[in-house]
Amino acid sequence: MSTPYPFTAIVGQDDLRLGLLLNAVSPAVGGVLVRGEKGTAKSTAVRALAALMPEVSVVPGCRFSCDPVSPDPACPDGPHAEAAGVSRAARTVELPVGASEDRLVGALDIERALSEGVKAFEPGLLADAHRGILYVDEVNLLHDHLVDLLLDAAAMGASYVEREGVSVRHAARFLLVGTMNPEEGELRPQLLDRFGLTVEVAASRDTDERVEVVRRRLAYDDDPEGFAARWAEEETALRERIAAARALLPQVLLGDGVLRQIAATCAAFEVDGMRADIVMARTATALAAWAGREEVTADDVRQAALLALPHRRRRNPFDAPGLDEDKLDQTLDEAAGDEGQGHDDDPDPGPDGGGDGGGGGGVPPQADGDRTPPQGSEGDDTPSQAPDSAPDAPGRSAGAEQQPVAAAEPFRTKMLSVPGLGEGAAGRRSRARTAHGRTTGAVRPQGALTKLHLSATVQAAAPHQRARGRSGRGLVVRRDDLRQATREGREGNLVLFVVDASGSMAARQRMSAVKGAVLSLLLDAYQRRDKVGLVTFRGKEAEVALPPTSSVDAAAARLESLPTGGRTPLAAGLLKAHDVLRVERLRDPSRRPLLVVVTDGRATGGPEPVALAGRAARLHQAEGTASVVVDCESGYVRLGLAGELARELGGTAVTLDELRADSIAGLVKDVTAAGRAA
């Protein structure tokens, strides 16, 4: 076993270390989520924490780590007779992002259960992590069905395995620690709320500190055991301090005044439910014990709020987590001033006005000027005389650029889906064969059986009962009789946006509406667990503004800063999208793409721009890429160019108005990959 990097040798990252240590002092805090860019010692710190955790006493031979003082009465290895426990180090169990359901919760031997009535159960990672640490690296990339299982175990403190009427239950109480890079996507709110604390980490910009990081890492890589030995004294001292804080924790007093500050803070930042209040109280108590005090202070409450609330306050999915510290200080001061004066009749204990916690959920309000853009001519869709096509006209600079405009307020969009039946990653957009969903049939299992189709198994075994010498009531089942259930659910797709940022789109009112529509589609992609990419074209070329990623908020940020102006190289945009999809098919062949082209359909610049755009569109059609064109043409005179482009792509066109879910055109629009007759 390799020697872990010492916790005390980590340079900087004070919030990260504090969050982990508070959970070591009080596991009831509920774990910690570490968010930050790659290469910031997230995984190193988590793995180093295990060496500092106190040992646990377990029942000898119990695979589920039962406490000998109070063993689990429902333990599958029980009942346990009275016996002295054995001590061992607390485990840190790592859950791989690509783990199967059986690996997480355990596997039941279905064949023995049917033929012998025996609950032959092989424990999974949840059993291994009981009374220890469950660590999920890249937790934001964890599949939805595994997230659901984690949520159930974290809520109930137990894991249940149910297979065709055979049930196994065991205790599963663990310290949940997750690390993630926000650039790769956000967490579902339900799982986010299960983490007691969250900390943000970033690489230091201090030269001396960076030098020390490199020096220590090189020394560790050269001689891990020798490096650990040099830090052994500090590790021992820290371990003893954790033990002392744990012993002091039950004596820490949480006064009514402090509780009022906690409640006022949670109310002011409009967090959902009561879990935030409880976590803040436990965190403040752990902070006091860590400092060697028997009473919680206002400073403890402030620090607890900074750790427990940023990921719980109501915010738009594209907003970065965080707290307005001025508002926090004001709230704490007001709550302290109200102490002893009775309850306030005002239902809002927080300060009036703006702040990160204000406004509730949903989309952040836009400035009035952004919501109602300047009025101007709508003649942009007429031939060369159109005002907003002036950048393409002779005598004007084709490279003229306008400053970015703010997006209009987003709206709920129709569901755009890829036709057919896919086999991609679990999500909420297109139909797919998945591990979870409605049962659609049965097949012979390839490898280990995971989802038994009971009726098909019985039908396969029934004709052979006499030949197999069946004499009793039990069914004689052989391996060849077992049938795997096939299920249909939903998958996430790769939604690649190709956005026209040329001069023909540059009218402020229209571009604001276009950005609002794309932002609405991005919100829809966030909710449906898609990957997204962004290609823009203007002037003489197209560029990949954002390579395909799970970070939908990164796409929203690129969109917000998108400038407009210049000619309309539509063919270049389609060809660039073709290159992106070709590479992504090699990287992830099971994830089906959906091409969303946002344009008025014009093509200018270069020889035969319209014909070239048509040939580029037919490349996508030939490869069966599902596509939709969001027609941005407006005004009284309409050329219908976006509809022509949709036919060349073999997809469909939808106007900005039809894109809304509440439009009269219907609730769902399926995108066809094959060409449609005009």
Side-chain angles (χ1 to χ4, degrees):
M1 182 176 178
S2 60
T3 303
Y5 192 91
F7 191 89
T8 51
I10 296 173
V11 179
Q13 307 296 13
D14 294 339
D15 288 344
L16 168 60
R17 291 188 293 165
L18 179 61
L20 292 172
L21 289 171
L22 291 178
N23 276 276
V25 171
S26 176
V29 166
V32 60
L33 174 65
V34 186
R35 298 165 42 95
E37 58 197 29
K38 52 187 176 292
T40 49
K42 300 189 297 293
S43 299
T44 299
V46 174
R47 294 186 177 107
L49 178 67
L52 303 175
M53 297 289 287
E55 291 187 340
V56 294
S57 179
V58 299
V59 173
C62 178
R63 298 175 297 167
F64 301 88
S65 303
C66 279
D67 187 345
V69 177
S70 56
D72 181 6
C75 177
D77 284 354
H80 297 298
E82 292 186 9
V86 294
S87 294
R88 62 161 175 80
R91 293 172 179 161
T92 296
V93 177
E94 296 194 29
L95 171 61
V97 169
S100 66
E101 177 181 341
D102 284 348
R103 185 70 187 98
L104 178 62
V105 301
L108 202 63
D109 190 330
I110 301 296
E111 187 174 355
R112 291 189 63 192
L114 286 176
S115 59
E116 303 175 27
V118 176
K119 294 182 181 180
F121 181 69
E122 184 65 29
L125 296 177
L126 290 179
D128 292 342
H130 180 48
R131 304 178 66 199
I133 301 172
L134 181 62
Y135 171 46
V136 189
D137 193 13
E138 306 295 352
V139 64
N140 50 324
L141 304 183
L142 200 63
H143 288 179
D144 275 358
H145 69 285
L146 297 182
V147 170
D148 293 336
L149 293 170
L150 272 182
L151 287 173
D152 290 342
M156 298 183 292
S159 174
Y160 291 84
V161 181
E162 303 280 351
R163 296 286 171 84
E164 307 299 340
V166 181
S167 174
V168 174
R169 173 218 172 267
H170 66 83
R173 292 184 297 276
F174 46 81
L175 174 62
L176 183 60
V177 180
T179 57
M180 59 174 282
N181 183 349
E183 294 178 357
E184 296 172 342
E186 288 291 347
L187 273 179
R188 283 171 53 184
Q190 295 94 329
L191 182 57
L192 196 62
D193 190 51
R194 287 294 173 186
F195 287 98
L197 311 178
T198 183
V199 294
E200 297 280 340
V201 295
S204 172
R205 296 296 180 258
D206 180 81
T207 302
D208 293 337
E209 194 167 290
R210 293 176 73 97
V211 167
E212 186 61 23
V213 170
V214 174
R215 181 181 291 117
R216 293 187 186 183
R217 186 69 209 192
L218 293 177
Y220 170 77
D221 291 340
D222 289 341
D223 182 11
E225 293 183 1
F227 184 82
R230 291 195 293 273
W231 289 90
E233 186 176 342
E234 287 82 353
E235 291 282 288
T236 300
L238 186 57
R239 193 178 297 109
E240 291 174 351
R241 184 177 176 186
I242 292 173
R246 278 196 170 194
L248 180 62
L249 189 65
Q251 304 171 34
V252 175
L253 175 65
L254 191 69
D256 289 343
V258 169
L259 282 174
R260 181 172 294 278
Q261 286 184 313
I262 291 172
T265 301
C266 292
F269 285 97
E270 299 185 9
V271 297
D272 293 324
M274 296 297 299
R275 182 174 285 118
D277 303 61
I278 296 170
V279 171
M280 269 191 68
R282 290 172 173 167
T283 305
T285 304
L287 281 164
W290 179 247
R293 289 183 273 102
E294 295 185 2
E295 186 172 355
V296 176
T297 66
D299 288 339
D300 295 329
V301 175
R302 187 182 192 279
Q303 182 66 57
L306 293 174
L307 292 170
L309 297 188
H311 60 302
R312 288 189 168 89
R313 69 176 180 85
R314 293 183 183 178
R315 59 187 180 94
N316 184 276
F318 300 149
D319 293 340
L323 291 183
D324 183 337
E325 295 195 29
D326 291 337
K327 179 178 179 178
L328 174 60
D329 291 336
Q330 183 180 353
T331 302
L332 292 174
D333 290 343
E334 290 180 355
D338 290 341
E339 183 180 354
Q341 298 179 13
H343 295 288
D344 192 345
D345 292 332
D346 186 349
D348 181 10
D352 201 12
D356 287 356
V363 178
Q366 304 289 330
D368 290 344
D370 293 338
R371 230 190 329 260
T372 308
Q375 300 297 317
S377 173
E378 290 275 8
D380 48 89
D381 295 306
T382 58
S384 60
Q385 293 83 7
D388 66 339
S389 62
D392 290 344
R396 291 283 303 271
S397 170
E401 179 177 304
Q402 296 192 19
Q403 292 298 316
V405 298
E409 189 166 337
F411 50 85
R412 190 167 64 90
T413 67
K414 292 177 181 176
M415 180 178 172
L416 305 175
S417 62
V418 179
L421 197 62
E423 296 181 346
R428 302 189 182 95
R429 184 173 296 278
S430 304
R431 294 173 54 224
R433 298 182 185 91
T434 59
H436 297 267
R438 63 184 182 90
T439 301
T440 58
V443 296
R444 289 181 180 272
Q446 301 294 323
L449 179 72
T450 55
K451 296 291 182 182
L452 178 74
H453 195 295
L454 183 58
S455 61
T457 299
V458 172
Q459 289 174 9
H464 309 290
Q465 296 305 296
R466 179 173 296 179
R468 293 173 183 174
R470 174 185 172 186
S471 58
R473 299 178 61 185
L475 190 68
V476 181
V477 179
R478 302 279 172 81
R479 174 69 187 175
D480 291 343
D481 301 328
L482 299 179
R483 294 295 182 267
Q484 175 85 21
T486 58
R487 302 194 175 191
E488 182 178 311
R490 293 280 174 178
E491 68 177 358
N493 297 110
L494 166 59
V495 183
L496 182 62
F497 293 92
V498 182
V499 180
D500 185 349
S502 66
S504 66
M505 302 281 289
R508 289 184 60 86
Q509 184 172 2
R510 182 149 62 125
M511 198 60 202
S512 178
V514 167
K515 285 189 175 183
V518 178
L519 187 62
S520 303
L521 290 168
L522 285 171
L523 279 165
D524 183 67
Y526 168 82
Q527 294 164 351
R528 300 190 187 280
R529 310 289 287 176
D530 294 317
K531 288 181 69 174
V532 297
L534 179 63
V535 172
T536 64
F537 59 94
R538 56 183 291 272
K540 297 181 180 180
E541 60 185 15
E543 66 171 348
V544 181
L546 183 71
T549 175
S550 297
S551 179
V552 179
D553 53 345
R558 299 289 197 282
L559 177 72
E560 191 68 23
S561 60
L562 178 66
T564 57
R567 297 186 181 277
T568 313
L570 177 58
L574 295 174
L575 290 173
K576 183 68 73 174
H578 183 268
D579 290 342
V580 171
L581 293 180
R582 176 178 55 81
V583 174
E584 287 302 309
R585 284 190 180 99
L586 296 175
R587 290 177 176 171
D588 190 357
S590 64
R591 188 180 287 270
R592 298 187 294 165
L594 173 61
L595 183 68
V596 179
V597 185
V598 185
T599 181
D600 57 9
R602 297 186 182 190
T604 62
E608 299 184 340
V610 176
L612 186 59
R615 289 197 293 272
R618 288 191 290 275
L619 283 176
H620 289 281
Q621 182 183 14
E623 295 188 352
T625 302
S627 59
V628 60
V629 177
V630 179
D631 185 359
C632 302
E633 194 173 32
S634 60
Y636 295 108
V637 179
R638 294 176 179 268
L639 304 180
L641 298 177
E644 292 290 339
L645 175 62
R647 283 188 284 275
E648 296 279 12
L649 286 167
T652 188
V654 57
T655 66
L656 290 174
D657 288 337
E658 291 171 344
L659 190 62
R660 294 178 177 270
D662 55 0
S663 72
I664 60 175
L667 296 178
V668 178
K669 181 176 286 291
D670 289 326
V671 182
T672 59
R676 291 180 177 176

